[in-house]
Amino acid sequence: MSSGPGAASAPAPDPHDSPPASDTPAAPPARTSSMFSSLKVRNYRLFFMGQVVSNIGTWMQRIAQDWLVLSLTGSSAAVGITTALQFLPMLLFGLYGGVLVDRLRKRPTLLVTQSSMALTAIALAVLTLTGHVQVWHVYVAAFAVGLATVVDNPARQSFVSELVGPGQLQNAVSLNSANFQSARLVGPAVAGLLITGVGTGYAFLFNGLSFIAPLTGLLLMRARELHLVERAPRGKGQLREGVRYVTGRPELIWPIVLVGFVGTFAFNFPVYLSAFADDVFHAGAGAYSMFNTLMAVGSVVGALLAARRGTARLRLLIVAAMAFGALEILAATTPTLWMFALLMVPLGLFGMTVNVTTNTSIQMSTDPAMRGRVMALYMMIFLGGSPVGAPIVGWITDTYGARIGLAVGGAVAALAAAVIGLILARVGNLRLSVGWHGGHPRVRFVPREQQEALAPAA
């Protein structure tokens, strides 16, 4: 996308021209000069710094919210219900949020959504600190945050391209993920100290006040330096148009389907990790915070590695999702707390690789005028699957134990990745190639014509 209005970023490739599962990138490469090159852009730097503070508060509230519900009810299923309520609005209204985002200016929209989430956190803090909080209050607050997220999430995702332009998009998306996961190193640790020291209410209060930072950053941005795109006019059929746009492109629809399975069954860590900390290892809130912190270490590494890559390969997405599922199955069998904790690092790395690779490939393969609807559909499937998956895995965890629940989630992720990898290979007319390269075995997908041409020489 150029600096002018209506400029295009990487156009969506025709599936007939570029096989979606081959070793070619999912979108034209966006090379960057360094791991942190997008921070040279003033507007993005303001956005990034505001998110540093706000993300710490977000992670503090996530930990405090899950632990408060578990303390009030003693039920992993109740934690799952809380997660479901927070993501249910995305499932129900996500596409409508994308339509609004494509019509509205992103910066004023974010000022409204961020303010509403700040007020929700402060209200929950007051209820908790005054001793009047009940579980239904937490449910209502989670649902209110979910409603704001319906618009906030696709607006933030698509606003990144307006901040940096197409040349820095891959780098900026990866740094955003590193930012969010770096906050995960601080947020859970501080939340654990606050919960055990003074109670959950102060974690909610910090989160509410933390929104001052991104709101200030948005107000300080220079509008003339934004890479604005032409907004979609009001009209009928825009939601259906967005769905048709995605379903007609294999390089968009199949990654979204994959992260739908992963998000629904394998990413329900509030249920899994709280159950392992409380029921399996009997270690309390400190262990729950430690699990989240160690997973964040791996996630930061995964995001920074993604920032160094200039492409987003669908092959990498499939491999990372299979590895992620296999690691969850392995973690479910670990006999000790420390072995389980150490596996959180590679789990975070491969989970973040799945997240960043999908996000980047989708954004770089989408027309700017459709980006709000496409990202809304992506987030609706990825995050909105939790209302379906969280109660299910919560019930499995309560009924059969945390180990069975985690193993089932990992198995679903690994199987979905294998099946969709084969589908993408078939759509792209690819075949499995096994050979040697540099003295080492190499397994990859290659165009069928290329393998047949090389077969006589072999």
Side-chain angles (χ1 to χ4, degrees):
M1 181 170 53
S2 71
S3 58
S9 82
D14 190 326
H16 299 292
D17 296 335
S18 178
S22 71
D23 288 344
T24 59
R31 297 290 178 186
T32 57
S33 57
S34 72
M35 185 179 289
F36 304 101
S37 58
S38 55
L39 289 175
K40 297 175 183 177
V41 180
R42 179 183 180 276
N43 282 345
Y44 178 73
R45 191 163 59 248
L46 287 169
F47 178 83
F48 184 90
M49 295 305 297
Q51 293 299 310
V52 167
V53 180
S54 182
N55 286 337
I56 291 174
T58 296
W59 277 112
M60 290 175 63
Q61 174 147 333
R62 285 190 178 189
I63 300 299
Q65 176 179 279
D66 297 338
W67 200 255
L68 177 61
V69 171
L70 195 64
S71 300
L72 291 172
T73 66
S75 170
S76 294
V79 177
I81 290 171
T82 307
T83 303
L85 286 170
Q86 186 158 334
F87 296 120
L88 181 62
M90 181 65 73
L91 181 64
L92 296 177
F93 312 118
L95 285 176
Y96 295 98
V99 171
L100 284 175
V101 167
D102 280 337
R103 292 176 181 174
L104 301 173
R105 292 166 57 200
K106 307 299 187 298
R107 187 164 60 143
T109 300
L110 288 172
L111 286 169
V112 173
T113 57
Q114 297 275 295
S115 298
S116 66
M117 288 189 284
L119 293 174
T120 301
I122 291 173
L124 189 56
V126 171
L127 287 169
T128 306
L129 292 171
T130 57
H132 293 94
V133 70
Q134 299 178 35
V135 68
W136 71 268
H137 293 142
V138 186
Y139 289 164
V140 171
F143 188 76
V145 170
L147 283 175
T149 304
V150 167
V151 176
D152 183 81
N153 219 314
R156 277 190 297 109
Q157 298 284 343
S158 55
F159 189 49
V160 173
S161 64
E162 295 189 11
L163 292 170
V164 299
Q168 300 286 356
L169 184 58
Q170 161 88 12
N171 184 261
V173 169
S174 300
L175 288 183
N176 277 354
S177 299
N179 184 338
F180 187 69
Q181 298 302 326
S182 296
R184 197 172 176 181
L185 295 171
V186 180
V190 177
L193 291 174
L194 288 177
I195 291 170
T196 56
V198 294
T200 56
Y202 287 96
F204 300 137
L205 180 61
F206 182 94
N207 182 46
L209 297 177
S210 73
F211 282 96
I212 295 174
L215 290 171
T216 302
L218 288 167
L219 291 172
L220 291 176
M221 288 179 185
R222 296 169 181 164
R224 65 181 181 274
E225 295 179 7
L226 294 175
H227 298 249
L228 297 177
V229 300
E230 184 179 353
R231 285 179 283 158
R234 296 179 63 89
K236 294 182 179 180
Q238 290 180 323
L239 190 152
R240 291 192 300 272
E241 180 186 10
V243 173
R244 285 196 301 268
Y245 181 86
V246 172
T247 55
R249 289 164 171 78
E251 73 279 3
L252 295 179
I253 184 60
W254 288 114
I256 290 176
V257 170
L258 174 57
V259 299
F261 280 103
V262 174
T264 300
F265 296 100
F267 263 65
N268 276 291
F269 290 111
V271 177
Y272 295 138
L273 299 188
S274 61
F276 267 84
D278 195 46
D279 300 331
V280 177
F281 300 120
H282 310 288
Y288 181 47
S289 295
M290 179 182 66
F291 295 156
N292 280 278
T293 301
L294 289 172
M295 184 173 288
V297 172
S299 298
V300 170
V301 173
L304 292 177
L305 289 175
R308 291 183 62 88
R309 289 193 296 267
T311 58
R313 299 177 186 273
L314 294 181
R315 180 185 66 174
L316 176 62
L317 171 62
I318 299 299
V319 172
M322 292 181 67
F324 179 75
L327 282 168
E328 282 201 343
I329 296 172
L330 179 61
T333 66
T334 53
T336 67
L337 183 148
W338 291 109
M339 290 178 65
F340 182 83
L342 288 175
L343 281 174
M344 295 300 100
V345 176
L347 264 175
L349 189 153
F350 283 103
M352 181 51 54
T353 301
V354 171
N355 191 345
V356 172
T357 304
T358 307
N359 190 316
T360 306
S361 65
I362 288 174
Q363 288 213 51
M364 297 184 71
S365 300
T366 302
D367 188 284
M370 301 292 296
R371 191 167 283 141
R373 278 165 283 182
V374 173
M375 294 309 296
L377 179 61
Y378 162 60
M379 299 309 299
M380 184 189 76
I381 298 298
F382 183 46
L383 300 179
S386 293
V388 177
I392 294 174
V393 301
W395 175 81
I396 294 173
T397 299
D398 280 342
T399 305
Y400 300 102
R403 295 187 184 278
I404 296 298
L406 183 59
V408 169
V412 170
L415 180 61
V419 171
I420 290 173
L422 292 174
I423 292 173
L424 285 171
R426 184 177 181 84
V427 169
N429 196 30
L430 305 174
R431 295 182 65 178
L432 184 67
S433 172
V434 180
W436 289 85
H437 179 74
H440 300 283
R442 180 171 66 175
V443 180
R444 59 175 180 158
F445 286 104
V446 299
R448 189 180 299 269
E449 295 82 359
Q450 177 181 333
Q451 188 178 54
E452 289 174 353
L454 294 175

